[in-house]
């Protein structure tokens, strides 16, 4: 019997989740690490183990590693890697813990490498770049620099970690003006499977430098990055929240599509639209918007500022740190969550039909999932964002030949009961199937899948194109010839299994 695509997709995904459970490896790895790194290893049943294990954005990522190790330097990461690779022990890598895919930042049985102590956030003497440890979160970095009159094009959510954003892409409110986070990385410090600590930049290991910019955890553990920075004193922006009536929703969809096209000529503005359908029946649209050069009321934002009736309006002058803290509020920790994404040509009819399909799936499952918050977001990706990659050696996102503006749609619902997991994951797979059919029918499909928003059943690396995949595989063979980071780190998107 040939299964429908959605069910084949979810079945394959569930198989991958099961197979991602750690293989036994060397049962003594935790003991070896505890002896080599006193005070850095935490075992089940201890308070620190519990607090470290549960400190994640989504409860779907709370698993049961044999131990958690918290290296405090690149040298200690090297010790950890050499021990685990030598023993053949499976492990996971946690930076900020902001990915809800099970096993992507945690593991059952094996070892979780928690980078929380790699939390450097400093400004260079000439103020041209900042240095960020891989365990630093965006919220921590923005707070550190809030009184420094300096900024960098970092993530939009507080809890996003540097390790993930620096290898996945990195959206920000500076995307049209400065490109992706990875386009602004000047240098990676990374620990390879051999335990060697190397730097990757345009002059040294330049092939690895490019591959890391979108290649995820296929090459090693990034321990810190240097990111181009600029003088910055704040922005004008905030949130506008309106009820998600049919009329208002359609208006926002039109305004969003118009904004995305105009964003190419108005690169100092940005928006992020979040929809939230709550268990009490209320439905809202939350528009996060910013004039990143601190200019009040730029005309391109006028349609959003005019939306009525406004349940909330927080528009004003504020620091980047305060703004990011504010727009993160609709996505707190403590729920079970999933993530899935699709990108398509910026087109009103497509966005309208995608939204309608998203609503249909919600209506079908809402009474079967207690405490369901059906949340989704759409973000503009104007063509202007690609003007910045080549200057620093390119990236591996697969957008170098892009000839159109994009809409990035993100499905990110949340719920509370693990008994609802199967319903939710099946709904996500069906959503991906249905919206894919819509974009194919309308001729607006786009292969790009943002890696940091992709579900475990999706294949974002394949969406970067054959040339990028071949290049990343070549780089992986060079720097990790035994494929340790593809074999022993079951979480994340893998070159050896996806493409």
């Amino acid at each position: 019997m040939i299964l429908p695509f959605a069910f084949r997709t979810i079945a394959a995904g569930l198989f991958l989740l099961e197979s991602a459970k750690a293989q036994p490896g060397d049962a003594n790895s935790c003991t070896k690490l505890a002896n080599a790194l006193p005070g850095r290893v935490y075992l089940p049943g201890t308070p620190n183990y519990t607090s470290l294990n549960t400190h994640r954005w989504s409860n779907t990522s709370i698993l049961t590693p044999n131990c958690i190790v918290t290296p405090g330097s690149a040298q200690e990461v090297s010790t950890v890697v050499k021990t685990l690779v030598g023993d053949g022990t499976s492990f996971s890598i946690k930076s900020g813990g902001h990915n809800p895919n099970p096993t992507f930042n945690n593991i059952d049985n094996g070892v979780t490498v928690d980078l929380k102590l790699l939390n450097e956030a400093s400004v260079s003497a000439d103020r041209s770049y900042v240095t960020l440890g891989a365990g630093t979160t965006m919220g921590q970095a923005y707070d550190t620099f809030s009184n420094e009159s300096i900024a960098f094009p970092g993530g939009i959510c507080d809890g996003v970690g540097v390790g993930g954003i620096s290898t996945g892409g990195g959206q920000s409110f500076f995307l049209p003006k400065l490109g992706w986070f990875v386009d602004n990385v000047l240098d990676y410090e990374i620990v390879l499977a051999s335990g060697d600590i190397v730097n990757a930049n345009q002059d040294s290991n330049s092939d690895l430098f490019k591959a890391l910019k979108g290649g995820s955890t296929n090459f090693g553990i990034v321990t810190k990055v240097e990111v181009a920075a600029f003088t910055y004193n704040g922005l004008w922006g905030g949130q506008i929240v309106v009820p998600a009536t049919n009329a208002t929703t359609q208006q926002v969809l039109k305004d969003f599509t118009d904004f995305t096209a105009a964003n190419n000529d108005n690169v100092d503005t940005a928006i992020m639209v979040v929809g939230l359908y709550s268990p009490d029946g209320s439905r809202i649209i939350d528009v996060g918007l910013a004039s990143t050069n601190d200019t009040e009321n730029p005309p391109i934002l006028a349609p959003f500022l005019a939306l009525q009736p406004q349940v909330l309006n927080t528009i004003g002058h504020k620091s980047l740190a305060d703004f990011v803290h504010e727009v993160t509020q609709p996505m707190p920790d403590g729920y079970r969550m999933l993530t899935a994404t699709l990108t398509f040509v910026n087109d009103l009819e497509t966005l309208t039909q995608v939204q309608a399909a998203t609503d249909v799936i919600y209506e079908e499952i809402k009474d079967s999932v207690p405490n369901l918050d059906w949340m989704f977001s759409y973000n503009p990706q104007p063509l202007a964002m690609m003007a910045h990659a080549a200057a620093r050696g390119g990236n591996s996102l697969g957008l170098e030949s892009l000839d159109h503006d994009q809409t990035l749609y993100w499905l990110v619902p949340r719920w509370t009961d693990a008994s609802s997991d199967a319903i939710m994951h099946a709904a996500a797979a069906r959503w991906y199937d249905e919206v894919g059919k819509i974009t194919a029918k309308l001729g607006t499909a786009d292969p790009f899948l943002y890696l940091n928003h992709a579900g475990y059943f999706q294949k974002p690396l394949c969406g970067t194109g054959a040339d990028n995949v071949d290049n990343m595989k070549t780089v992986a063979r060079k720097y990790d010839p035994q494929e340790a980071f593809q074999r022993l780190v079951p979480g994340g998107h893998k070159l050896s299994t996806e493409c």
Side-chain angles (χ1 to χ4, degrees):
M1 180 177 66
I2 298 176
L3 295 175
F5 175 77
F7 294 98
R8 286 187 282 118
T9 302
I10 194 65
L14 291 173
F15 171 79
L16 287 173
L17 283 184
E18 184 64 26
S19 64
K21 292 182 178 180
Q23 300 304 309
D26 188 331
N28 295 320
S29 291
C30 290
T31 300
K32 290 181 180 179
L33 290 172
N35 290 334
L37 302 172
R40 300 288 201 220
V41 177
Y42 303 92
L43 300 174
T46 63
N48 284 336
Y49 175 96
T50 301
S51 62
L52 289 168
N53 195 38
T54 57
H55 186 64
R56 284 171 166 78
W57 184 40
S58 172
N59 291 351
T60 53
S61 294
I62 299 174
L63 304 178
T64 54
N66 287 337
C67 64
I68 301 171
V69 57
T70 58
S73 66
Q75 289 72 26
E76 292 188 354
V77 173
S78 175
T79 297
V80 171
V81 169
K82 285 189 287 188
T83 300
L84 297 177
V85 172
D87 289 348
T89 299
S90 296
F91 61 101
S92 66
I93 306 161
K94 175 180 178 281
S95 173
H98 202 263
N99 194 308
N101 287 314
T103 77
F104 275 42
N105 56 57
N106 208 350
I107 196 167
D108 279 324
N109 300 321
V111 176
T112 291
V113 183
D114 190 326
L115 304 178
K116 64 170 291 184
L117 297 182
L118 304 183
N119 57 0
E120 179 182 357
S122 61
V123 183
S124 65
D126 65 359
R127 295 175 57 84
S128 66
Y129 66 90
V130 296
T131 300
L132 303 173
T136 307
T137 65
M138 294 297 100
Q140 291 170 335
Y142 293 139
D143 283 341
T144 298
F145 302 136
S146 61
N147 295 320
E148 298 276 357
S149 296
I150 200 165
F152 63 95
I156 298 170
C157 295
D158 273 345
V160 170
V162 169
I165 195 173
S166 66
T167 56
Q171 289 186 320
S172 81
F173 274 80
F174 299 102
L175 183 68
K177 186 172 185 176
L178 298 171
W180 297 80
F181 180 93
V182 297
D183 295 332
N184 294 273
V185 173
L186 305 176
D187 182 81
Y188 292 90
E189 180 184 79
I190 181 172
V191 177
L192 304 177
S194 62
D196 291 345
I197 303 169
V198 303
N199 290 86
N201 51 57
Q202 283 185 271
D203 298 318
S204 178
N205 300 310
S206 59
D207 52 351
L208 178 60
F209 180 57
K210 180 180 179 181
L212 284 167
K213 293 189 280 185
S216 193
T217 55
N218 286 283
F219 313 101
I221 298 181
V222 171
T223 51
K224 70 178 178 182
V225 294
E226 293 176 354
V227 185
F230 50 93
T231 299
Y232 196 69
N233 292 310
L235 54 80
W236 183 84
Q239 298 177 86
I240 292 177
V241 178
V242 295
T245 63
N246 289 339
T248 302
T249 296
Q250 192 57 44
Q251 185 62 52
V252 171
L253 298 180
K254 180 183 184 303
D255 294 342
F256 172 90
T257 306
D258 292 344
F259 174 90
T260 302
N263 204 192
N264 289 290
D265 298 319
N266 297 266
V267 297
D268 289 309
T269 54
I271 62 169
M272 176 180 69
V273 180
V274 176
L276 175 61
Y277 301 167
S278 299
D280 63 5
S282 63
R283 301 186 181 192
I284 62 168
I285 296 173
D286 184 344
V287 182
L289 55 86
S291 170
T292 54
N293 65 1
D294 208 25
T295 300
E296 294 184 6
N297 295 302
I300 190 175
L301 296 179
F304 302 104
L305 296 168
L307 289 170
Q308 294 294 336
Q310 295 184 4
V311 178
L312 178 70
N313 184 324
T314 68
I315 304 299
H317 296 280
K318 57 195 67 177
S319 69
L320 180 58
D322 288 342
F323 177 70
V324 170
H325 296 331
E326 180 185 313
V327 298
T328 298
Q329 289 176 358
M331 299 184 180
D333 297 355
Y335 290 84
R336 302 186 72 78
M337 306 186 78
L338 64 77
T339 182
T341 189
L342 193 78
T343 305
F344 45 88
V345 176
N346 181 49
D347 172 69
L348 179 57
E349 181 60 25
T350 304
L351 182 56
T352 300
Q353 290 194 30
V354 166
Q355 188 57 54
T358 305
D359 291 349
V360 166
I361 292 174
Y362 168 69
E363 292 293 339
E364 291 176 353
I365 67 169
K366 67 178 183 178
D367 295 329
S368 302
V369 180
N371 303 312
L372 170 62
D373 282 331
W374 188 249
M375 190 159 53
F376 51 86
S377 173
Y378 34 100
N379 297 275
Q381 293 191 172
L383 190 58
M385 68 182 175
M386 287 311 301
H388 314 283
R392 295 195 175 101
N395 61 42
S396 294
L397 301 177
L399 297 172
E400 56 274 1
S401 299
L402 189 68
D403 61 1
H404 55 266
D405 301 322
Q406 297 173 315
T407 294
L408 187 152
Y409 200 105
W410 184 26
L411 183 68
V412 58
R414 61 194 183 202
W415 65 101
T416 56
D417 194 333
S419 65
S420 299
D421 287 5
I423 295 174
M424 294 303 301
H425 288 293
R430 179 164 175 242
W431 172 84
Y432 182 51
D433 188 13
E434 292 299 318
V435 297
K437 291 176 182 176
I438 290 169
T439 60
K441 177 186 67 176
L442 296 176
T444 52
D446 189 295
F448 177 74
L449 295 173
Y450 179 35
L451 186 142
N452 286 347
H453 287 175
Y456 61 85
F457 59 90
Q458 298 184 283
K459 297 182 177 181
L461 294 173
C462 304
T464 66
D467 288 345
N468 273 293
V469 171
D470 288 345
N471 181 67
M472 286 188 284
K473 286 183 174 181
T474 297
V475 173
R477 285 192 295 268
K478 176 180 176 181
Y479 291 92
D480 183 11
Q482 302 304 313
E483 294 189 345
F485 280 93
Q486 297 182 64
R487 292 184 299 103
L488 298 179
V489 183
H493 297 283
K494 300 303 175 186
L495 289 164
S496 56
T497 57
E498 287 196 3
C499 307

